[in-house]
Amino acid sequence: MQDAATNATNATSIQADAQYVRVDFARPLASNEDAQTLHAELERSFAAHGMRRVLFDYSKIGGADEAVRDAMWTWIESVGLEAIAVIVDGELARVRLNMTALSKRLPLRAFVRGVDAIAWLTDPEQRRPTREVRRG
């Protein structure tokens, strides 16, 4: 990957390549201000690289506190990304994030394995909406 940057909070590493922007968390974001700093850095990276896909890797840190989590959801709802993949540290977190994303109709999916997250994020065919099952 190219164009690596670490934000002022030292909580994240942001890297961009030809297909997506990757955010690796070294520690949880401490505040809404940290979340807003991250959002601004991501939007600059999206603009610089002309892409609208992001991979968040929370697998080494677990989740964030509720206020920061709410700030992240609000940002995701407002920014209009093509796809958001999230790597989490367990099945419960994966299911919770996926159910929340589905209820909000957001293009976000959570995964326990990074390889699965990257495959979903980079292959538009895997990101197709679930189709209705018709009964014969």
Side-chain angles (χ1 to χ4, degrees):
M1 291 194 168
Q2 56 179 323
D3 190 40
T6 301
N7 82 10
T9 65
N10 290 322
T12 60
S13 169
I14 300 172
Q15 302 173 340
D17 71 9
Q19 298 188 57
Y20 59 91
V21 174
R22 181 182 180 117
V23 180
D24 291 300
F25 290 88
R27 65 175 175 79
L29 296 174
S31 65
N32 284 347
E33 290 77 24
D34 283 354
Q36 290 171 354
T37 299
L38 174 62
H39 301 157
E41 290 178 17
L42 283 170
E43 289 178 30
R44 281 191 296 275
S45 186
F46 296 146
H49 296 92
M51 68 182 74
R52 305 299 292 166
R53 291 185 296 249
V54 65
L55 171 67
F56 291 109
D57 187 347
Y58 285 97
S59 64
K60 296 177 182 76
I61 64 161
D65 75 20
E66 187 174 347
V68 172
R69 203 169 36 244
D70 289 345
M72 293 295 284
W73 282 115
T74 299
W75 176 75
I76 289 169
E77 288 175 311
S78 70
V79 75
L81 294 173
E82 178 184 333
I84 305 127
V86 182
I87 305 169
V88 295
D89 63 349
E91 191 63 22
L92 185 59
R94 185 191 71 78
V95 170
R96 185 187 78 239
L97 279 174
N98 284 338
M99 295 305 291
T100 301
L102 287 168
S103 72
K104 293 177 178 283
R105 299 182 184 268
L106 295 171
L108 181 147
R109 294 298 175 270
F111 303 87
V112 175
R113 294 176 356 125
V115 66
D116 296 332
I118 292 168
W120 179 84
L121 189 63
T122 59
D123 182 0
E125 195 58 28
Q126 288 194 36
R127 292 193 314 266
R128 287 183 304 157
T130 303
R131 297 189 180 191
E132 180 180 324
V133 176
R134 296 177 191 231
R135 295 183 183 176

